Amino acid sequence: MHLVVTGHVDHGKSTVVGRLLADTGSLPEGKLEAVRAHCVRNAKPFEYAFLLDALRDERAQGITIDAARVFFKSRLRDYIILDAPGHVEFLRNMITGAARAEAALLVIDAHEGVRENSRRHGYLLSMLGIRQWAIVVNKMDLAGHAQAVFDRIVDEYGQFLARLNVSAVTFVPVSGMTGENIVARSPALSWYHGATLLETLDAFTPEPPVLDASFRMPVQGVYKFTENGDDRRLVVGTILAGRVNVGDEVVFLPSGKKSHVKTIETFNRPPQLSADAGDATAFTLTEQIYVTRGELAVRADEAPPHVSTRLKASIFWLGRDALVPGKSYLLKLGSARVPVRLEEVHRVLDASTLDATNEHQQVARHEVADCTLVTTKAFAFDATTMLGPTSRFVLVDEYRIAGGGVIREALPDHQAWVRDTVLRRDEKWAHGSIPQERRAERYSQRAGLLLITGAPSVDRKRLARALEDQLFNDGRFVYFLGIGNVLYGVDADIERNDANRAEHLRRVGEVSNILLDAGLIVIATAVALTQADLDLMRVSVHADRVWSVWAGGAMTTDIVCDVVLSDQDSEADGVIKLKRLLQDNRLIFG
Ligand code: GTP
Ligand code: MG
């Protein structure tokens, strides 16, 4: 059983865990004596907490560990316990799935009483959906073993839990230092008739792996066999929920690409017919489709996750700088990494006092908020009521984890209709007999769409034609797609106005998509594209095949382009830079 230990600083987490290890006889032979002897030599009093440090040091020599993960055994079962040193480590471990916590211990110092982190950690545990908790009222020796002290904490913290709607909680009075009521009962606590800490843990029920849920596997990587013309690709990841079998049709989201599972290969075991939640797995597919890290593999015959760019979430903010609208953060969920912005704060709560306000438009450190988030790319996720592991995420602010949360619901976004059309289109797409890879080999290039945009004053078409000319002379298969070609032909049935802009772009995307399927490099131009326009094109053509260029002049929109040409760049400079962009992204070689 996986346990997580939390609590206010110095309330005795490590001591309680050290005691559990020692008193269940789970320590390596001679470890306790060695640590005691070390303390005597250095003339410092022995602490059970040192046991964890000693174990941690030992393992840190081999691998990097971010938190002390230790093991102990009761007569009933094995335990894995995570002593998370701080908020951020705790959040990261809980959310990134490093720790599957089936139950939690929350340590409160009897002498010092309930502190703000006792409550914040409690809030986090409830937000993350941990069902079983034991509140360890520690240092009873310092409180004179008084029942009144214990009762007061049960009462005070019980009220807090009631406000969180948390019910399945046991309170256990102990002393980590003396070992009272950890494994052995204590006469000094004779007024207490409940279970010892170890008995309390043994009474928890194991959380079965989420097998009865729909199959979910974040794609960690895709590896290609290179031996003897073997063109198989291995899709690798850890299954978070459900089961996948050989022969199942799998869908990768958000791309919507589909294939069937051909073989399942599990590390160090012979090939098998199925793989389950918790397994680190690799499978091959019957059709060679191009999928990438960050997608979520699901089964076509099961309930699909949400795919969107807008969502409602509960978040817990730990960053020194407040979470503010307008700033770009990174959201990590499963293997997906997507830029995200705060669109709206609905409600802010102090995680310790539970005081709520609807006034705030930002989220300060140690606050919890219900808010709407918008990502720049669509990604796949579940709502927390449906599936825990695919609904938890962390937020990164300037390379640091600054918060975490759970997704409450998916919200409709402006790309939804395009995404739905594209999913249906790809599903119905009738493939020719030549797979993309063979075209790519024959043409010595990868298909891609280069979108050239810029201020109205800039001559984008000239640059586009110059680039087309250069690539053609290099022997590439390239096509300049004038926007007007679509405007007056495919678009003949719609008026040219702002209301139709999205539909117009969708059609440009559709035409480009056909040309890309034919293996071409397509150069298209459009005036003053916005980020929303680009996002829309990326949905219809698939994000990994679109590159964008701002062709000189001041930026007049919010678009973020792969290349920005300045007014100083000559046309020849522009051609060179764009060719380099294609080379860097391996569309063309040499
Ligand atoms: P951090 O990891 O720093 O947050 O602390 P912690 O919660 O792991 O606390 P730790 O186990 O390191 O204990 C903090 C201090 O409290 C140490 O000096 C312990 O000796 C002391 N302590 C822990 N448990 C007890 C107890 O049951 N009784 C008494 N008297 N002291 C205790
Ligand atoms: Mg500690």
Side-chain angles (χ1 to χ4, degrees):
M1 173 171 282
H2 293 250
L3 300 175
V4 61
V5 193
T6 63
H8 196 78
V9 63
D10 271 354
H11 279 197
K13 300 175 289 292
S14 305
T15 304
V16 167
V17 174
R19 261 297 176 180
L20 275 169
L21 298 191
D23 294 1
T24 53
S26 306
L27 286 169
E29 191 69 36
K31 187 93 258 171
L32 189 60
E33 294 70 24
V35 174
R36 279 191 197 282
H38 181 85
C39 289
V40 170
R41 269 201 309 282
N42 292 283
K44 58 179 180 181
F46 169 79
E47 292 256 359
Y48 275 90
F50 295 159
L51 282 168
L52 293 197
D53 297 337
L55 292 172
R56 192 185 333 220
D57 289 347
E58 236 160 63
R59 262 166 309 147
Q61 290 166 7
I63 44 163
T64 341
I65 49 166
D66 45 32
R69 199 161 314 207
V70 290
F71 306 87
F72 71 94
K73 265 182 193 320
S74 72
R75 241 183 306 243
L76 186 70
R77 61 181 158 225
D78 293 349
Y79 289 92
I80 300 174
I81 192 159
L82 182 80
D83 179 29
H87 275 112
V88 173
E89 292 82 358
F90 173 66
L91 251 188
R92 183 178 50 220
N93 281 302
M94 294 300 300
I95 289 173
T96 54
R100 197 161 62 88
E102 294 163 90
L105 301 185
L106 200 142
V107 179
I108 298 178
D109 182 332
H111 188 62
E112 213 176 270
V114 177
R115 300 298 305 272
E116 61 276 17
N117 275 349
S118 320
R119 289 187 290 257
R120 285 184 189 132
H121 287 180
Y123 189 94
L124 270 175
L125 293 173
S126 97
M127 184 178 98
L128 294 172
I130 298 188
R131 282 189 306 115
Q132 318 182 80
W133 311 18
I135 310 297
V136 183
V137 181
N138 186 34
K139 306 197 191 179
M140 284 305 293
D141 57 308
L142 283 187
H145 299 96
Q147 178 172 11
V149 174
F150 177 71
D151 286 347
R152 209 176 315 130
I153 290 174
V154 172
D155 187 50
E156 181 184 350
Y157 203 72
Q159 283 181 24
F160 176 76
L161 291 175
R163 290 175 69 193
L164 293 179
N165 282 323
V166 171
S167 52
V169 177
T170 326
F171 289 79
V172 190
V174 306
S175 166
M177 178 115 107
T178 63
E180 288 166 293
N181 213 29
I182 301 275
V183 172
R185 289 180 182 283
S186 152
L189 296 170
S190 59
W191 47 264
Y192 172 76
H193 303 293
T196 61
L197 180 57
L198 189 64
E199 286 164 354
T200 306
L201 298 183
D202 277 349
F204 285 153
T205 48
E207 192 95 42
V210 253
L211 258 187
D212 48 354
S214 302
F215 169 65
R216 301 286 188 259
M217 188 187 92
V219 175
Q220 289 295 340
V222 179
Y223 301 95
K224 224 177 142 172
F225 291 88
T226 44
E227 278 165 35
N228 316 326
D230 193 340
D231 65 348
R232 279 180 307 157
R233 290 216 181 100
L234 212 49
V235 181
V236 176
T238 295
I239 301 179
L240 295 183
R243 158 177 293 185
V244 69
N245 310 288
V246 167
D248 282 344
E249 187 177 20
V250 283
V251 189
F252 296 89
L253 294 168
S255 76
K257 292 179 184 169
K258 281 187 182 179
S259 187
H260 290 83
V261 176
K262 192 169 168 189
T263 60
I264 295 177
E265 336 244 331
T266 302
F267 189 61
N268 259 344
R269 270 190 272 162
Q272 50 193 92
L273 290 176
S274 64
D276 291 335
D279 291 346
T281 305
F283 52 78
T284 59
L285 300 168
T286 49
E287 300 89 36
Q288 294 318 316
I289 55 174
Y290 186 74
V291 293
T292 50
R293 178 187 163 89
E295 297 215 53
L296 185 67
V298 308
R299 268 167 60 175
D301 63 342
E302 291 182 331
H306 299 288
V307 174
S308 185
T309 60
R310 278 181 83 227
L311 51 99
K312 211 179 248 181
S314 296
I315 54 161
F316 193 104
W317 192 250
L318 301 168
R320 205 163 305 146
D321 299 333
L323 172 69
V324 293
K327 185 171 174 189
S328 181
Y329 303 90
L330 193 71
L331 182 152
K332 298 190 186 184
L333 184 148
S335 56
R337 308 276 177 273
V338 285
V340 65
R341 273 183 308 108
L342 174 65
E343 183 181 275
E344 198 188 339
V345 179
H346 306 291
R347 193 175 71 126
V348 172
L349 209 65
D350 181 307
S352 164
T353 61
L354 300 185
D355 289 339
T357 155
N358 302 325
E359 323 290 64
H360 292 19
Q361 269 319 304
Q362 58 174 44
V363 188
R365 186 175 210 180
H366 291 146
E367 283 179 344
V368 177
D370 293 332
C371 51
T372 298
L373 300 176
V374 194
T375 61
T376 57
K377 280 193 295 188
F379 71 113
F381 56 85
D382 287 289
T384 184
T385 45
M386 293 303 296
L387 245 177
T390 39
S391 72
R392 294 176 197 148
F393 61 88
V394 291
L395 292 172
V396 177
D397 184 11
E398 315 278 3
Y399 307 106
R400 273 215 195 110
I401 291 183
V406 295
I407 298 178
R408 299 280 174 207
E409 61 179 304
L411 298 172
D413 60 6
H414 67 283
Q415 298 173 6
W417 63 286
V418 179
R419 201 164 39 237
D420 291 348
T421 334
V422 166
L423 283 176
R424 202 162 40 241
R425 173 198 80 193
D426 288 352
E427 192 182 340
K428 301 283 181 200
W429 196 271
H431 293 274
S433 59
I434 315 296
Q436 260 176 34
E437 285 179 2
R438 283 191 58 204
R439 277 185 215 281
E441 253 165 55
R442 167 74 61 86
Y443 301 160
S444 292
Q445 67 183 37
R446 223 153 48 80
L449 170 66
L450 190 64
L451 269 175
I452 303 181
T453 186
S457 58
V458 176
D459 196 346
R460 296 166 303 280
K461 287 202 187 91
R462 244 184 78 172
L463 175 63
R465 290 199 183 98
L467 179 65
E468 184 192 30
D469 205 48
Q470 171 75 56
L471 292 174
F472 187 79
N473 289 331
D474 289 348
R476 307 294 167 210
F477 296 78
V478 57
Y479 185 76
F480 164 68
L481 178 69
I483 282 298
N485 306 3
V486 178
L487 215 50
Y488 298 103
V490 175
D491 279 355
D493 61 323
I494 57 171
E495 258 181 74
R496 272 187 81 171
N497 58 29
D498 272 355
N500 283 336
R501 184 181 174 91
E503 174 59 12
H504 170 59
L505 283 167
R506 187 188 74 79
R507 294 180 185 199
V508 174
E510 284 300 323
V511 173
S512 304
N513 189 57
I514 295 174
L515 296 173
L516 261 55
D517 197 51
L520 301 183
I521 292 172
V522 179
I523 306 169
T525 57
V527 67
L529 288 180
T530 63
Q531 186 63 39
D533 296 338
L534 177 62
D535 290 343
L536 202 127
M537 293 291 281
R538 282 192 174 136
V539 173
S540 56
V541 183
H542 292 310
D544 52 16
R545 307 217 290 185
V546 184
W547 284 270
S548 57
V549 184
W550 187 269
M555 296 286 289
T556 55
T557 79
D558 63 340
I559 195 169
V560 182
C561 287
D562 298 299
V563 169
V564 176
L565 300 177
S566 78
D567 289 332
Q568 271 73 51
D569 286 317
S570 67
E571 192 175 286
D573 293 337
V575 169
I576 291 172
K577 287 189 179 172
L578 297 189
K579 230 181 112 171
R580 197 173 310 137
L581 173 70
L582 300 181
Q583 283 162 340
D584 290 347
N585 289 288
R586 309 183 61 76
L587 271 80
I588 57 175
F589 313 96

